[in-house]
Amino acid sequence: MNISEILKKAISLSPKKQVDFSEIAKSTINIKNIKNINIDDFDTESISVGIFIPKSKNKEIAVSVKLVLETSGSFCRIFENTSELLKSIDENLIQIVIIIPDNAQDESLEFCKTLRISHNLLEIPVLSLIPKDENGLNSELVEKCNKSGSTSILVRPFDILDIISKIQSLSTLHIQFKKNQDLYKSEKEKSSFLYFVTHNVNTPLTILLNEIHELSKIDFDENTKQMIQNIQMATDQINSVIQNVLTSYRISDGRILLNPKKINLKEFIEIENLFLKPKSERKNQDFIVELNSDEEIDDYVICDENCLKGIYQNIVDNAIKYTPIGGKIKIWTSKKDNFLQLNIADNGRGIPDEKKVKLFKKFSNIGTKPTGKEKTNGLGLYVVYELCKLNNIKIEYSENTEWQTGSIFTLTIPI
């Protein structure tokens, strides 16, 4: 009997049968020398496998499986104790676990449940080697294995290549999971660093913006005025990027704490326009504001003021960016049922149909360029959309058919 036949016989055994392993023990096995088995296609990265057999059950199968896997390049170790195996997993000494349950009450299935409390299906894959029943598949045990957290199942008896292939597949899943975890950790570190930098730039930038704003009020000569205006434009752009990066990070990290309150929308817009209107004037745009003047209509809305500021500033700033020099921007309010509607329109180039589906996605390219060499980071409308969701504000985009070109963003805000 050659080695191939001995291994196949050993693996196909049911737990009740016995086999003499002395012939295998005396042999030095090189998997490539085993006859009738094409192993060349299997180039599994070295991985550590723990075979769990509580109370020494199924030791014959465990020994033969260990032998097969070690000859194919894996390191294998047999465990009879739950705590010892869990310790080896926690110390990263074992990456894949094999269990050999015989029935739905098997102790190895309980171990699998325990493992899944701290490790998911791909972090530590579990392969269950189960026996056939009189119907062949043993569906009851398959269901129990799945519920216990088994990653994959192989029915005994099986061919040698079947188990090598399974371990190779699980090894690939485990390695990919680890790579994804490492990538996630790296991205998390980059994101934290970016937040740290932008957060620490934010305070001195705010002071700088205030000082520049005060300088702009002084009656300097034309060259100095132009210089101050250029500095103001540059710092405004930097501030826009900083605020959107900070807000985007807080949104994704769940750091935004809402403080909803009654806000006089008319007064709010008038204050915000003190900073936004000069940007429009620098491009000689017609900045039209038509706020509700009906005293019978309540101008108050309910939302977080900082969020509303982020929403309004981003939409109006975008309107200014994408509206040509000498173009028009119009802002007006109206009432609809139990909501106030805030509308911001422009006569820019609008948004191409194929780009509308990505309008509120992070880093989306809407297909148009700013008209005054302004910079854009692709975060503005993403931030707007997420802040609207947090405050129960409905946001809608429509084409500006009245002016034959451009965009209209409509905010429907609870009152």
Side-chain angles (χ1 to χ4, degrees):
M1 181 183 294
N2 62 33
I3 294 173
S4 173
E5 291 170 338
I6 294 171
L7 290 173
K8 286 182 177 178
K9 181 179 179 182
I11 293 175
S12 65
L13 287 175
S14 72
K16 295 180 181 179
K17 294 182 180 178
Q18 300 294 324
V19 65
D20 183 6
F21 284 89
S22 59
E23 225 174 324
I24 298 176
K26 291 175 185 177
S27 305
T28 300
I29 296 180
N30 182 334
I31 195 68
K32 291 185 181 288
N33 294 332
I34 295 179
K35 296 180 181 179
N36 304 322
I37 299 180
N38 181 12
I39 196 65
D40 292 333
D41 294 333
F42 294 92
D43 187 23
T44 306
E45 186 172 334
S46 179
I47 197 159
S48 296
V49 180
I51 305 174
F52 183 53
I53 47 169
K55 301 176 182 177
S56 300
K57 289 174 56 183
N58 297 326
K59 190 162 188 177
E60 301 88 353
I61 302 175
V63 170
S64 57
V65 168
K66 178 177 184 291
L67 185 60
V68 168
L69 295 181
E70 287 187 338
T71 54
S72 67
S74 297
F75 170 80
C76 291
R77 183 179 169 191
I78 295 175
F79 293 85
E80 299 178 12
N81 181 276
T82 298
S83 58
E84 187 180 355
L85 176 52
L86 287 173
K87 181 181 177 183
S88 295
I89 291 170
D90 291 338
E91 292 174 352
N92 201 30
L93 300 177
I94 298 296
Q95 287 87 46
I96 295 176
V97 174
I98 293 177
I99 60 174
I100 313 173
D102 290 324
N103 54 65
Q105 287 73 44
D106 197 283
E107 186 180 336
S108 61
L109 295 175
E110 290 303 314
F111 162 80
C112 196
K113 285 183 180 180
T114 303
L115 179 66
R116 288 295 167 245
I117 295 173
S118 53
H119 299 83
N120 68 39
L121 290 168
L122 301 183
E123 185 180 6
I124 303 293
V126 174
L127 173 61
S128 296
L129 308 181
I130 67 172
K132 289 182 179 179
D133 61 8
E134 60 273 12
N135 298 318
L137 185 58
N138 203 338
S139 56
E140 181 187 0
L141 188 50
V142 168
E143 183 181 358
K144 185 68 175 179
C145 287
N146 288 332
K147 287 182 177 180
S148 299
S150 179
T151 312
S152 187
I153 295 171
L154 193 58
V155 178
R156 334 193 285 263
F158 45 81
D159 187 81
I160 291 176
L161 293 186
D162 290 339
I163 192 164
I164 295 175
S165 178
K166 282 284 187 183
I167 293 298
Q168 183 189 48
S169 298
L170 295 176
S171 172
T172 301
L173 290 173
H174 168 80
I175 292 167
Q176 189 58 51
F177 173 83
K178 297 297 287 184
K179 286 180 179 178
N180 289 342
Q181 288 295 98
D182 291 342
L183 179 62
Y184 173 78
K185 183 180 178 182
S186 174
E187 290 300 316
K188 190 75 174 175
E189 289 173 351
K190 290 177 185 177
S191 179
S192 296
F193 176 73
L194 181 60
Y195 179 79
F196 172 80
V197 171
T198 52
H199 181 73
N200 282 278
V201 168
N202 187 43
T203 301
L205 181 61
T206 302
I207 296 171
L208 181 61
L209 283 166
N210 291 334
E211 295 295 334
I212 293 171
H213 182 68
E214 291 302 315
L215 281 173
S216 66
K217 297 177 182 179
I218 301 174
D219 189 19
F220 290 109
D221 61 80
E222 289 304 315
N223 287 338
T224 305
K225 284 182 179 180
Q226 185 61 50
M227 188 184 300
I228 292 172
Q229 189 178 96
N230 292 339
I231 294 172
Q232 189 168 24
M233 287 178 62
T235 50
D236 281 343
Q237 290 178 13
I238 295 170
N239 185 54
S240 177
V241 172
I242 293 295
Q243 297 310 317
N244 280 334
V245 169
L246 285 172
T247 305
S248 176
Y249 184 90
R250 289 167 182 151
I251 289 169
S252 61
D253 208 39
R255 294 194 183 192
I256 291 185
L257 299 176
L258 298 181
N259 181 28
K261 64 179 183 180
K262 289 185 73 173
I263 301 169
N264 187 305
L265 188 59
K266 183 178 179 180
E267 292 179 0
F268 171 86
I269 292 171
E270 288 173 347
I271 292 171
E272 292 302 313
N273 285 349
L274 292 176
F275 299 93
L276 292 165
K277 190 176 181 181
K279 293 185 181 183
S280 179
E281 290 174 344
R282 288 196 286 266
K283 295 177 72 172
N284 296 316
Q285 294 168 343
D286 191 6
F287 197 82
I288 307 164
V289 182
E290 296 180 356
L291 302 181
N292 168 46
S293 59
D294 188 344
E295 295 182 358
E296 294 182 1
I297 297 179
D298 193 350
D299 285 317
Y300 287 89
V301 294
I302 305 294
C303 64
D304 181 274
E305 187 170 6
N306 287 327
C307 290
L308 186 59
K309 183 178 293 189
I311 293 166
Y312 184 75
Q313 287 181 353
N314 270 297
I315 296 177
V316 177
D317 193 58
N318 269 3
I320 295 169
K321 281 181 185 178
Y322 294 104
T323 297
I325 295 171
K328 292 189 295 184
I329 293 168
K330 182 179 178 181
I331 300 165
W332 74 99
T333 58
S334 57
K335 188 176 181 183
K336 182 180 179 182
D337 300 325
N338 291 322
F339 299 90
L340 271 180
Q341 288 192 323
L342 172 59
N343 307 278
I344 298 115
D346 64 67
N347 68 338
R349 297 175 184 174
I351 299 171
D353 289 340
E354 65 273 14
K355 299 290 184 178
K356 290 175 184 175
V357 293
K358 297 181 179 179
L359 188 58
F360 298 109
K361 301 294 184 183
K362 189 184 288 188
F363 303 119
S364 61
N365 176 7
I366 61 175
T368 56
K369 294 182 179 180
T371 57
K373 298 183 180 179
E374 299 99 333
K375 301 298 181 183
T376 181
N377 54 41
L379 282 174
L381 289 179
Y382 162 77
V383 167
V384 166
Y385 182 73
E386 293 298 326
L387 293 180
C388 283
K389 282 201 305 183
L390 288 172
N391 287 272
N392 195 28
I393 297 172
K394 182 180 180 182
I395 181 168
E396 297 174 283
Y397 168 82
S398 59
E399 295 178 358
N400 193 343
T401 55
E402 182 181 347
W403 291 349
Q404 283 79 52
T405 182
S407 305
I408 300 176
F409 283 90
T410 300
L411 300 171
T412 304
I413 312 172
I415 59 176

